[in-house]
Amino acid sequence: MPLVLSPPHEQLHSRQTTKRIKLAAHHDPPETLPASNPSKIFAPFRTVGLVSPTEVPFTVLPLGKTTFQVTTNVGRSLHTYDLRRGLNLVFITRPQTPEPVTATKAWQDKVVAAWGGSQASSARGVWVYSRGKKAAELESVRASSENVKQLLIFGTWIVGCCSTRIEVWKSNTLEHYTTLVAPYSGSNGPSRRITGGICNMPTYLNKILAGREDGTVEIWNLSSNKLIYTILPAASNYGAVTAIQPTPALSLLAIAYENGPLIIHDIRHDKEIIRLRSVTQGAPISSISFRTDGLGAGEDGRCSGAMATSSHGSGDITFWDLNSGGRRTGVLPGAHSGPVKATEGIPRGINKIEFLSGQAILVTSGLDNALKSWIFDETSFSPTPRILHMRAGHAGPVSALQFLPPESEGTEANGKWLLSGSEDRSLWGWSLRHDGQSTELSQGNVQAKAKKRGLLGHGSGSHGPESLKAPKITCMASSLNRDGGIGALPGAQAIWNKTSNSKGASKSNAADSSATGWESVVTGHEGNRFARTWFWGRKRAGRWAFPTSDSSDVTSVAMSPCGTFALVGSAGGSIDMFNLQSGMHRQRFPARLTPLQAKQLRLQQLQSEDSLEEEVDLSNKKTYKRGQGKHTLAVTGLAIDNLNRTVTSCGLDGRFKFWDFDTGLLIHEIDFAAVGRTIVSLRYHRPSDLIAVACSDGSIAVIDLQTQRVVRQLSTPFSTITDLCFSSDGRWIVAACVDSVIRVWDLPTGHLIDASRLRSKCTAIAFSNTGEYLATACEDSLGIDLWTNRTLFAQVPTRPIEDGEIAELDAPSTSGEGGQGIVATTLEEPSTDALPETAVPSMEQLSDDMITLSLVPKARWQTILHLDLIRARNKPKEPPKRPKSAPFFLPSLPSTSNQSSTPALTDAPSSETKSRHLTKLNSAPPPSTLTTLLHTSHTTHNHLPLLTHLKSLPPSSLDLALRTLDPSSPGTELVAFVHVLTVRLRASADFELVQAWMAAFLRIHADAVVREKEVARAVAEWRGVLAGEMARLRRLVGSCAGVVEFLRGV
């Protein structure tokens, strides 16, 4: 007998609900603390590229009748997008949850988020956010070992659905009310899992429905904590319930089964109304939504009853018309893309679809890290929608990173754009200024091509539309010097044409692109023999696909700094150069031999073997002929110097080669294979002409392009390098290793100065051109982490560290919480405990054996030598003249008529004034400061105060102080002064300043030196000490010159 449900009003009035005892006052879970031993150089900033990377469905919050806000989960924080603004990001929640978010639900003007860890003992909770900030927290549940995977809010209830139990809170007090647990299947059997989620039926007070894994749908009364009724499946082989959703019609519920049909069920009479067969085999329906604007069904779309379904196992959306027994009206294929190969491990499918209330708009989010909105056209009715807005990111881990280089004509966007290639076959450009400007570079209308070839019906498998995209990007190169921007080659252009040497085609292409610019990005792809070009300004694929000459896969690419030429290295060892403007092949390294040249080369080799006399090359460099020097294994790195004169290459054969850009001849090579090493990657720093190569044994060799020699050897014990880069100034080399550690070496010293361990292995790394940010990509993340460079705005000690001193780093968040921006780094107090412990030597004199100059400015002691000349030059040529007329503001002299009333100007001085002048003349003057310090230094033998006083005097004051020395017999002050200079000269300190002081002394007191024997004896002693120091200096300089001449002649 069908069960008739009615809201239990009698129970609400007659039975008093037992009040739940409030649990002990709980405390907020501890926030995620930063690493205890952070990196000295890099601080976490934020993460870019995450939109909806998890399986947690989005939630929609209507704001009146004007717009909607869509909130997605990105791990431990939530992103809120405004639909009216084109899915513009408006809020990022703070603080982050201690564990990953497991469920979200919009409620009034708030968003409720449940979080928890994967372990049974992990912390769990439910937080309430308002406008991106934490507003409240629900009471925690004791002894809870399951995460809340779905939230439902209606009336006065907040319901959380776990794997086997249902938690209930009061929405007005946020207190935990009760826990609903299903009865066991047997006496000792396990609980039945909730696989279809929970929902509430409109107008049914305090009732919720839950879908179980045995195919049943349970109806619970929250107020009485009782199971009211169980709806059984029509057949036992339907399997678990995968989704339930109430329809706009009262008492009707849509139920989807894992192995069965989708059924519209009347729960009031427990009767099946409509049965629909799923379209996608092997992909059970996981999300159901109904259109509520009264349109979308019927032949003309003017009737109500439209429904949409989706699945986790497919990227397609199916649309249904529930009128007249129900029928399928259309399928939107490839709404969310998936991987090309199942072995790639990239999640695929759709986790939720939802029609906006009263709108002809459908919002979808997929496991491909994308959020999309679709709109249904009303004028020309179509049962399937078209795309309206989209926010997305990489669907797979990032495989290649590169900051866009600056343009030659301006640096407005310098260091603000980041290119990334991923395993999902996409190339993205990320803006570090505004997230809304980030975009994927188009590869053409893939959906139209797939539809034309009949691939849309196969989903996202190996024959789906994703197979039409370029394979995974493994290497990239860029140069914006010839990029035409948005106006480059306007109009429709075919993409990735196979290059041809047709002169007519090349002239036409060159003429079209010479005025507007051409491609600026070249990429190499996994398992593919073509290197592809891209327009950065137009954000689309380019015209050319450059093939390798030996038809093997592309392993490395490079671009010339002028942006005209592209190099392509292959797995077979060939290197080809193409012109980006015309798409023509220009050169091969080594250069190709014509039959005549090959014959001549063979004759030369035979003649050299038969020759009795061999030429000796004094430079010890081997000479190479045309066609010689090809790599025997895969080319792993390419670079072109700043002047387009030299091409460098390296390979798995362990050889680093220098090629002539114009002729293609091999100039020189460095053999790393002789020491058992192969080269796996290459990075070139253009400002310093330094090249860093990573070897198979974990070491890094730094090569100077000018001298063609290895200048540094850096080692990484017990680790292999996955990627490396130079800092913006070329002073550091930053390397990511397979042990999840990022190491930083200082090139001038060759020391390891920083090591930081990430949470997982880093696969790609890049340093911004401005030196502000370091970008990293990890193998288990879809986003790109940005780290701030502390050394730009703060003093950071960079002492050498051991390889075991590794810091632990927490990954940045999308909100930037816990990270440090540039301003925060600038205002940060320097750490005193991180200063180096090595003692700093004194600046006065490093060693007694070294002749040390003074720190007195050069202009000061040189002025002492030429003080008389300066005074003569500054002496006025003629005396000052009396002005012809006094200024108007000075009073005039009194007239002769008033002489009797004014005192005489020429009165004779009084007797008191005369006696005062005589007293001053008879009294002895006080001793000068120089005389006092001379006496003190003579008695204490401490000359430092006197020397400090002399260094502080300006030239004119020093001259006056020397003149105050008493020259009278026996010249005690003069002898003491010369003795101080002799002691200082014997100590090899203040070498030039002591000679300047002696020159000034001799100029002033030359007569006293001639007259007094003691003074002459002191000056002779000073001269002997000076002669000894000069002889020692000449001997040292001569020895150094001899060593230099010897080395020059070797």
Side-chain angles (χ1 to χ4, degrees):
M1 177 178 180
L3 175 68
V4 179
L5 295 179
S6 60
H9 296 285
E10 297 82 8
Q11 297 181 7
L12 292 176
H13 294 285
S14 62
R15 184 181 58 83
Q16 182 178 1
T17 305
T18 304
K19 185 177 181 180
R20 304 298 175 184
I21 301 176
K22 187 176 181 180
L23 299 177
H26 77 285
H27 302 280
D28 291 342
E31 297 292 337
T32 302
L33 299 177
S36 58
N37 185 22
S39 170
K40 297 183 299 182
I41 299 178
F42 301 113
F45 180 46
R46 68 187 183 100
T47 302
V48 298
L50 296 181
V51 177
S52 179
T54 67
E55 296 183 0
V56 179
F58 64 88
T59 181
V60 177
L61 177 65
L63 296 181
K65 297 182 179 180
T66 57
T67 185
F68 295 82
Q69 288 186 352
V70 184
T71 300
T72 62
N73 171 40
V74 293
R76 293 192 298 162
S77 59
L78 306 177
H79 285 189
T80 300
Y81 301 91
D82 194 315
L83 184 62
R84 186 174 59 178
R85 300 181 184 178
L87 291 180
N88 186 31
L89 183 63
V90 291
F91 297 122
I92 301 178
T93 57
R94 292 189 179 186
Q96 290 189 107
T97 57
E99 298 288 346
V101 175
T102 57
T104 59
K105 182 63 176 178
W107 175 42
Q108 297 175 355
D109 59 341
K110 304 175 181 62
V111 175
V112 183
W115 52 269
S118 58
Q119 303 296 329
S121 59
S122 301
R124 291 172 177 82
V126 181
W127 288 2
V128 181
Y129 290 99
S130 177
R131 298 182 63 85
K133 297 181 180 180
K134 181 183 176 183
E137 181 176 354
L138 274 64
E139 183 181 3
S140 60
V141 182
R142 287 184 176 180
S144 176
S145 59
E146 299 179 0
N147 292 330
V148 176
K149 61 180 183 180
Q150 183 185 356
L151 286 170
L152 177 65
I153 304 177
F154 68 101
T156 59
W157 308 104
I158 299 178
V159 186
C161 176
C162 304
S163 297
T164 60
R165 51 199 291 170
I166 300 174
E167 305 291 346
V168 183
W169 291 268
K170 282 286 189 178
S171 61
N172 50 1
T173 62
L174 304 183
E175 295 180 355
H176 184 254
Y177 181 75
T178 187
T179 299
L180 306 179
V181 180
Y184 294 102
S185 58
S187 57
N188 297 320
S191 303
R192 295 171 298 165
R193 292 188 305 114
I194 303 176
T195 57
I198 58 175
C199 69
N200 70 300
M201 187 65 67
T203 72
Y204 283 70
L205 189 63
N206 302 329
K207 306 298 188 304
I208 64 168
L209 299 95
R212 297 281 180 175
E213 66 176 343
D214 58 357
T216 61
V217 177
E218 299 174 345
I219 304 176
W220 289 81
N221 189 317
L222 300 181
S223 180
S224 62
N225 191 14
K226 292 182 179 180
L227 175 62
I228 300 177
Y229 189 76
T230 301
I231 302 176
L232 301 177
S236 59
N237 59 352
Y238 280 2
V241 176
T242 57
I244 57 175
Q245 182 69 25
T247 67
L250 296 180
S251 302
L252 296 185
L253 178 70
I255 307 174
Y257 295 95
E258 182 178 8
N259 302 320
L262 186 147
I263 295 176
I264 306 298
H265 198 88
D266 185 353
I267 64 171
R268 188 176 183 88
H269 300 90
D270 194 5
K271 180 181 179 182
E272 180 182 310
I273 304 299
I274 300 176
R275 176 178 297 186
L276 303 172
R277 287 290 177 182
S278 177
V279 178
T280 307
Q281 298 296 330
I285 295 173
S286 59
S287 181
I288 306 171
S289 183
F290 295 91
R291 189 169 172 178
T292 58
D293 62 342
L295 301 174
E299 295 297 334
D300 55 355
R302 297 295 178 180
C303 301
S304 61
M307 180 184 69
T309 60
S310 65
S311 171
H312 283 295
S314 172
D316 302 340
I317 301 176
T318 306
F319 298 93
W320 308 82
D321 184 356
L322 301 181
N323 298 295
S324 303
R327 63 183 180 90
R328 180 171 60 90
T329 58
V331 176
L332 182 62
H336 287 269
S337 58
V340 177
K341 298 179 182 178
T343 57
E344 291 180 356
I346 303 175
R348 60 193 179 102
I350 302 174
N351 54 15
K352 185 178 180 180
I353 58 174
E354 182 175 348
F355 282 99
L356 297 182
S357 178
Q359 304 291 328
I361 295 177
L362 178 69
V363 179
T364 64
S365 68
L367 302 179
D368 57 350
N369 193 23
L371 176 67
K372 301 180 181 180
S373 62
W374 310 81
I375 187 170
F376 292 84
D377 294 327
E378 297 181 4
T379 53
S380 55
F381 171 69
S382 174
T384 57
R386 58 179 175 85
I387 190 70
L388 180 61
H389 303 116
M390 181 179 68
R391 290 296 297 268
H394 285 301
V398 176
S399 58
L401 278 178
Q402 185 185 69
F403 276 92
L404 207 64
E407 301 179 21
S408 61
E409 300 178 355
T411 58
E412 179 183 358
N414 188 13
K416 303 302 180 183
W417 284 96
L418 180 63
L419 289 176
S420 66
S422 170
E423 295 180 2
D424 63 348
R425 301 188 169 207
S426 64
L427 177 63
W428 275 79
W430 304 101
S431 173
L432 304 187
R433 289 180 174 177
H434 194 281
D435 288 339
Q437 297 178 354
S438 302
T439 182
E440 179 185 0
L441 274 67
S442 172
Q443 301 187 31
N445 195 342
V446 178
Q447 294 291 333
K449 294 179 181 178
K451 183 178 180 180
K452 184 177 180 180
R453 299 184 183 184
L455 301 178
L456 288 180
H458 297 279
S460 299
S462 59
H463 301 287
E466 293 300 312
S467 62
L468 299 180
K469 285 188 174 183
K472 166 189 170 183
I473 294 176
T474 57
C475 53
M476 66 175 69
S478 59
S479 176
L480 299 184
N481 289 330
R482 300 297 296 178
D483 186 80
I486 194 66
L489 291 176
Q493 299 283 341
I495 66 171
W496 295 333
N497 298 315
K498 306 301 184 291
T499 57
S500 172
N501 290 329
S502 173
K503 295 183 178 180
S506 62
K507 290 182 179 180
S508 176
N509 292 323
D512 294 340
S513 59
S514 61
T516 60
W518 49 81
E519 293 88 338
S520 54
V521 180
V522 179
T523 57
H525 304 265
E526 183 181 45
N528 194 269
R529 59 181 290 262
F530 292 98
R532 290 164 170 81
T533 61
W534 306 76
F535 287 102
W536 167 249
R538 299 188 64 183
K539 306 296 188 298
R540 62 180 293 268
R543 299 167 293 168
W544 314 121
F546 299 137
T548 57
S549 57
D550 55 2
S551 299
S552 58
D553 297 338
V554 175
T555 55
S556 60
V557 293
M559 283 188 66
S560 62
C562 62
T564 305
F565 300 99
L567 290 177
V568 180
S570 72
S574 66
I575 303 174
D576 299 274
M577 183 171 68
F578 296 87
N579 188 299
L580 286 168
Q581 183 180 7
S582 62
M584 295 185 65
H585 186 275
R586 290 303 185 188
Q587 187 60 273
R588 185 169 295 156
F589 302 90
R592 171 182 287 182
L593 291 174
T594 62
L596 180 60
Q597 292 174 342
K599 184 177 180 180
Q600 293 176 353
L601 178 61
R602 181 58 181 168
L603 291 176
Q604 292 177 1
Q605 292 176 351
L606 294 176
Q607 291 176 0
S608 62
E609 294 176 358
D610 297 337
S611 178
L612 298 178
E613 297 181 357
E614 295 183 358
E615 297 182 358
V616 180
D617 188 2
L618 297 179
S619 62
N620 292 328
K621 287 187 176 181
K622 182 180 178 181
T623 58
Y624 299 90
K625 304 298 182 180
R626 186 179 181 92
Q628 293 181 339
K630 180 183 177 182
H631 286 281
T632 57
L633 294 176
V635 179
T636 56
L638 292 169
I640 306 176
D641 70 337
N642 293 316
L643 300 178
N644 286 1
R645 293 180 178 177
T646 306
V647 174
T648 57
S649 65
C650 61
L652 292 179
D653 55 359
R655 299 182 183 274
F656 188 92
K657 299 178 182 291
F658 300 85
W659 308 86
D660 184 84
F661 182 86
D662 295 327
T663 62
L665 297 178
L666 181 61
I667 303 173
H668 180 59
E669 72 174 17
I670 302 175
D671 189 6
F672 288 91
V675 292
R677 291 188 290 177
T678 60
I679 305 176
V680 296
S681 61
L682 175 150
R683 294 295 180 270
Y684 176 42
H685 187 253
R686 294 193 181 278
S688 62
D689 264 352
L690 293 178
I691 297 176
V693 292
C695 300
S696 57
D697 60 350
S699 62
I700 299 175
V702 182
I703 302 172
D704 188 353
L705 189 59
Q706 299 297 326
T707 61
Q708 299 180 359
R709 293 183 178 181
V710 178
V711 295
R712 281 290 183 273
Q713 289 279 0
L714 310 174
S715 62
T716 307
F718 312 112
S719 183
T720 305
I721 296 174
T722 58
D723 198 5
L724 77 160
C725 64
F726 280 94
S727 61
S728 58
D729 56 359
R731 186 179 180 88
W732 300 338
I733 285 184
V734 186
C737 307
V738 295
D739 57 355
S740 305
V741 177
I742 296 179
R743 293 176 171 86
V744 183
W745 286 271
D746 184 65
L747 276 186
T749 61
H751 293 156
L752 178 68
I753 60 175
D754 190 60
S756 305
R757 189 184 304 277
L758 301 180
R759 300 304 182 191
S760 59
K761 186 178 76 173
C762 181
T763 57
I765 193 171
F767 215 109
S768 65
N769 306 312
T770 57
E772 298 177 47
Y773 305 112
L774 175 72
T776 60
C778 297
E779 62 179 359
D780 61 347
S781 175
L782 304 183
I784 301 172
D785 298 330
L786 297 179
W787 310 82
T788 305
N789 184 7
R790 297 173 183 262
T791 61
L792 283 184
F793 306 99
Q795 183 179 1
V796 176
T798 55
R799 64 175 180 85
I801 65 172
E802 299 295 334
D803 195 70
E805 301 179 36
I806 300 177
E808 298 291 338
L809 287 183
D810 286 329
S813 61
T814 56
S815 61
E817 181 187 358
Q820 287 185 331
I822 296 176
V823 177
T825 306
T826 306
L827 301 178
E828 185 182 34
E829 292 293 335
S831 176
T832 57
D833 56 351
L835 294 177
E837 299 177 358
T838 56
V840 180
S842 173
M843 295 301 296
E844 284 291 332
Q845 193 172 14
L846 299 178
S847 174
D848 296 338
D849 298 333
M850 299 176 62
I851 295 179
T852 307
L853 303 180
S854 67
L855 297 179
V856 177
K858 182 179 179 180
R860 177 176 293 184
W861 63 263
Q862 284 186 344
T863 303
I864 297 175
L865 300 176
H866 308 90
L867 191 60
D868 293 341
L869 180 62
I870 295 174
R871 286 175 177 173
R873 185 180 58 191
N874 295 338
K875 184 179 180 180
K877 297 181 180 180
E878 55 183 7
K881 296 181 180 180
R882 183 179 180 181
K884 296 181 181 180
S885 58
F888 67 90
F889 52 83
L890 296 179
S892 59
L893 293 175
S895 60
T896 56
S897 59
N898 297 332
Q899 288 181 359
S900 58
S901 60
T902 60
L905 298 176
T906 59
D907 289 345
S910 61
S911 58
E912 295 181 1
T913 305
K914 291 181 179 181
S915 61
R916 187 163 57 250
H917 288 320
L918 290 175
T919 303
K920 289 183 178 181
L921 291 175
N922 293 333
S923 61
S928 63
T929 305
L930 179 59
T931 302
T932 304
L933 293 176
L934 274 175
H935 178 72
T936 304
S937 65
H938 180 71
T939 56
T940 61
H941 301 286
N942 182 17
H943 310 305
L944 187 59
L946 174 62
L947 295 173
T948 305
H949 174 69
L950 292 176
K951 291 179 182 180
S952 63
L953 295 177
S956 58
S957 300
L958 178 64
D959 182 80
L960 181 60
L962 292 179
R963 293 181 186 276
T964 59
L965 295 178
D966 187 10
S968 59
S969 182
T972 306
E973 294 184 3
L974 301 182
V975 174
F977 181 78
V978 175
H979 177 70
V980 172
L981 297 186
T982 304
V983 172
R984 195 63 175 171
L985 188 62
R986 188 175 284 113
S988 302
D990 299 331
F991 191 72
E992 85 288 5
L993 189 59
V994 169
Q995 297 184 57
W997 287 343
M998 179 56 74
F1001 173 81
L1002 294 177
R1003 186 180 65 249
I1004 297 172
H1005 299 287
D1007 53 347
V1009 174
V1010 176
R1011 184 178 66 253
E1012 302 294 336
K1013 294 183 179 180
E1014 294 294 331
V1015 180
R1017 189 178 296 109
V1019 172
E1021 181 184 2
W1022 178 87
R1023 184 177 180 182
V1025 174
L1026 177 63
E1029 290 295 323
M1030 294 298 294
R1032 188 167 68 94
L1033 180 61
R1034 284 193 296 269
R1035 185 170 61 255
L1036 292 175
V1037 172
S1039 176
C1040 294
V1043 172
V1044 172
E1045 289 295 331
F1046 172 76
L1047 295 177
R1048 183 181 298 175
V1050 172

